[in-house]
Amino acid sequence: MKPLPRTVQWIGDLPGHVRLIDQTLLPTQVAYRDCKTVEEVWEAIRTLRVRGAPAIGVAAAMGVVVGIQSHTDPANYGKRLKEVADYLRTSRPTAVNLFWAIERMEKKASEPEALVKGVTRVLLAEALAIEEEDRRMCRAIGRIGADLVQEGQGILTHCNAGGLATAEYGTALAVMYTALEQGKQFRVFADETRPLLQGARLTAWELQQAGIDVTLICDNMAAQVMREGKIQLVVVGADRIAANGDTANKIGTYGVAVLARAHGIPFYVAAPSSTFDLAIKDGSQIPIEQRDPREITEGLGKVVAPAGVRVYNPAFDVTPAELIAGIITEKGLIQPVNEAAIRALLEG
Amino acid sequence: MKPLPRTVQWIGDLPGHVRLIDQTLLPTQVAYRDCKTVEEVWEAIRTLRVRGAPAIGVAAAMGVVVGIQSHTDPANYGKRLKEVADYLRTSRPTAVNLFWAIERMEKKASEPEALVKGVTRVLLAEALAIEEEDRRMCRAIGRIGADLVQEGQGILTHCNAGGLATAEYGTALAVMYTALEQGKQFRVFADETRPLLQGARLTAWELQQAGIDVTLICDNMAAQVMREGKIQLVVVGADRIAANGDTANKIGTYGVAVLARAHGIPFYVAAPSSTFDLAIKDGSQIPIEQRDPREITEGLGKVVAPAGVRVYNPAFDVTPAELIAGIITEKGLIQPVNEAAIRALLEG
């Protein structure tokens, strides 16, 4: 397999900087952006140059190091760290992984180890650990999921649960990368994923980079492609999974699940165990965010709908557990999907 | 109900001209275009300023009149008429209604009536008759279909089977216009209909013009909207219907039908009886046209997919008869949908 582009990486030792692929320029331009100040990291997260929960977490952790590394007054380290952390938290206030990663960095700075080895050194190690853990998680999901891929299959995916959203292989796409490494032959169909076209812009691009046979379709073509017998497996990512297995993911996922069921095609979710929210009983408790109508009416730089038209633009939908054949996590495959099986894997 | 914009109309008597709404400028600009030469009519059909099978037929018939009206040498009428007809036939060689309308005009010119009243006068009357017949057909479909609309319902439609595609009310949208005239309260959800966005650009616009409560969604949101209980009825148009009721229509229609079935929502097709092709036994014999990949990758003026990516872009799909609750024609409602019921209505 061709090496995947690095989504986020630390360049140099100390002082060093964050290099990330500018996802706002994909797929027409592949450009890396070096962030040498915490302001530049903040801007990259804010403007979606880096996106995807795990990738944001890694970028933010490295951003903390960038913000602290030139601070030469040991007496005020704590104050500076808090400033940097609070500032980075404002870059994307709805991103759970952003808060999780920054909190982890702050906690690390207060441990005895930091006093011995130096705060900056320990924080860099922690940021790299977050990156490495994410990489391992992706690889584990890939290994477990690749067993589901049979020679010659067609696989459908929706949105981008790929390397561009994580430190390396992604979740749903990790399944495909690993199957490719195992020498399996298969084809992928990528839904373009309106309104923001993550499937066209990101998934098609990264699969193409890796040398995977990928075909781009509009979302409304998935049913026809299934009917023609071109799809034997569906794998998608997840934003949040309830205790019973109901799964929130990018809008359109639920429709794909219904179509897969109607055509007898197994529908799998690939997600790290951190995606489960056991405090949520089922999907009815997951709020559906409504987004700006302009994403639909003028999201591609051209106005395509009449002025003042009412628009419904839910960011996510919820796929009920009964439509999900299995959930691929780094800890194992949950199959069948129900609360007992989920708790057994996560708590066992 | 607010009056619908006139898609195609004849202005003046003789000599007169064709006025049509320039659909390439919708929905951001509402501009009428006067075609005073046959070349202007040809260009309007060619560049999709006028589209939709019935509307093209009306425009072409009127185009014949425009081409012949200034011809002052009676001895060469026949030659000129053939020139005009052959020329107009090249404007959109795949449009069946174009050929049908032009042939009808040619036939009329050779009837004895033309010698008595004058060829141009008779041809204008024939063009206006084609327009009027189409208007009546739409109204009849509207009346029959409106009985299916219950107070307070949500209705989903796909693509544009509206007034902009016909001389007046359209087919699927005629059902909604007539229900509105009957004083019924209902809401319409319009799929944007990728890749060419006829739902966003045309359907949302014309329903809005008529004062109908319309909400625009991306195609991949239909399932979620159904799940939320917002849809009680689906009505779409048709491009071609086989003898057994299998229906070819804009890509995405089949997926909507599967989703409707999964949610227990009746799915109706509205189409004139001329849409049936009884020579075709079932949908498997309907060829699916593949269209230019650039409609998907750069259809909105901005490149949204990586260079060289493989694209699957079928123009149509086929919805099997068993997913169709009924077919609304100007001759009556076919329900249930099967060959016997279709032949009984069409041949009875």
Side-chain angles (χ1 to χ4, degrees), chain B residues 13-311:
Chain B
D13 183 46
L14 277 174
H17 65 272
V18 184
R19 178 172 293 166
L20 46 86
I21 191 163
D22 188 344
Q23 299 192 37
T24 63
L25 302 177
L26 290 176
T28 45
Q29 208 183 321
V30 180
Y32 289 86
R33 197 171 179 93
D34 286 329
C35 301
K36 298 184 176 180
T37 66
V38 68
E39 288 77 14
E40 286 169 344
V41 176
W42 185 93
E43 190 269 352
I45 296 172
R46 176 69 146 209
T47 62
L48 313 184
R49 296 187 201 284
V50 58
R51 34 65 62 194
I56 289 172
V58 172
M62 291 178 176
V64 170
V65 181
V66 166
I68 200 84
Q69 65 184 359
S70 58
H71 196 75
T72 50
D73 177 9
N76 283 321
Y77 255 168
K79 183 165 169 279
R80 173 66 185 161
L81 180 62
K82 190 173 184 314
E83 274 173 17
V84 167
D86 287 347
Y87 173 64
L88 281 170
R89 269 189 271 259
T90 64
S91 63
R92 192 115 185 255
T94 55
V96 174
N97 269 53
L98 174 75
F99 289 81
W100 169 83
I102 293 172
E103 201 176 303
R104 185 165 153 178
M105 295 294 279
E106 284 184 298
K107 201 174 154 212
K108 196 73 190 175
S110 67
E111 287 179 4
E113 189 191 357
L115 290 174
V116 180
K117 296 191 186 166
V119 178
T120 314
R121 177 63 55 195
V122 164
L123 287 181
L124 175 58
E126 189 69 2
L128 295 175
I130 290 173
E131 184 195 7
E132 181 58 24
E133 285 165 28
D134 188 60
R135 180 178 291 116
R136 279 198 207 133
M137 177 274 293
C138 293
R139 292 283 184 145
I141 287 176
R143 273 193 306 276
I144 293 164
D147 289 346
L148 302 167
V149 179
Q150 307 297 317
E151 186 71 18
Q153 283 187 332
I155 309 174
L156 179 76
T157 191
H158 189 74
C159 198
N160 177 258
L164 288 168
T166 63
E168 198 192 24
Y169 265 30
T171 54
L173 299 196
V175 173
M176 303 168 200
Y177 296 134
T178 310
L180 182 71
E181 287 174 338
Q182 293 171 350
K184 287 177 183 161
Q185 301 275 330
F186 58 94
R187 282 181 78 181
V188 178
F189 286 81
D191 279 351
E192 65 173 3
T193 318
R194 282 283 284 155
L196 296 183
L197 300 170
Q198 293 91 338
R201 293 189 295 107
L202 307 177
T203 297
W205 180 79
E206 66 167 277
L207 291 176
Q208 192 189 42
Q209 292 295 310
I212 287 178
D213 178 349
V214 57
T215 300
L216 176 65
I217 57 172
C218 295
D219 302 302
N220 68 19
M221 296 167 186
Q224 175 65 15
V225 173
M226 289 180 184
R227 188 169 157 82
E228 291 176 15
K230 293 188 166 83
I231 307 293
Q232 285 72 41
L233 179 67
V234 178
V235 189
V236 300
D239 283 277
R240 208 165 175 188
I241 307 177
N244 74 336
D246 288 355
T247 295
N249 192 43
K250 184 64 60 200
I251 186 69
T253 304
Y254 165 61
V256 171
V258 172
L259 294 172
R261 170 62 55 89
H263 292 85
I265 301 164
F267 175 96
Y268 284 90
V269 170
S273 55
S274 59
T275 312
F276 287 86
D277 186 346
L278 298 184
I280 290 181
K281 196 175 144 57
D282 61 41
S284 66
Q285 295 176 270
I286 302 177
I288 304 288
E289 173 197 357
Q290 292 295 320
R291 292 180 58 87
D292 191 332
R294 287 175 298 182
E295 288 182 355
I296 296 178
T297 58
E298 53 187 277
L300 295 161
K302 191 174 163 182
V303 175
V304 295
V309 72
R310 194 194 310 276
V311 170

Side-chain angles (χ1 to χ4, degrees), chain A residues 207-288:
Chain A
L207 291 176
Q208 192 190 42
Q209 292 294 310
I212 288 178
D213 179 349
V214 57
T215 300
L216 176 65
I217 57 173
C218 294
D219 303 302
N220 67 18
M221 295 168 187
Q224 174 66 14
V225 173
M226 289 180 183
R227 187 169 157 82
E228 292 176 13
K230 294 189 165 84
I231 306 293
Q232 285 72 42
L233 179 67
V234 177
V235 189
V236 301
D239 283 277
R240 208 166 176 189
I241 307 177
N244 73 339
D246 288 356
T247 296
N249 191 43
K250 183 64 60 201
I251 186 69
T253 303
Y254 165 61
V256 171
V258 172
L259 293 172
R261 170 61 56 90
H263 292 86
I265 301 164
F267 175 96
Y268 285 89
V269 170
S273 55
S274 59
T275 314
F276 287 86
D277 186 346
L278 298 184
I280 290 182
K281 195 175 146 56
D282 61 42
S284 67
Q285 293 174 273
I286 302 177
I288 304 288

Side-chain angles (χ1 to χ4, degrees), chain A residues 71 83 132 278 283:
Chain A
H71 197 73
E83 275 173 17
E132 181 57 25
L278 298 184

Side-chain angles (χ1 to χ4, degrees), chain A residues 80-102:
Chain A
R80 173 65 186 162
L81 181 63
K82 189 172 184 316
E83 275 173 17
V84 166
D86 286 347
Y87 173 63
L88 281 170
R89 270 190 270 260
T90 64
S91 62
R92 193 114 185 254
T94 57
V96 175
N97 268 54
L98 173 76
F99 288 82
W100 168 84
I102 293 170

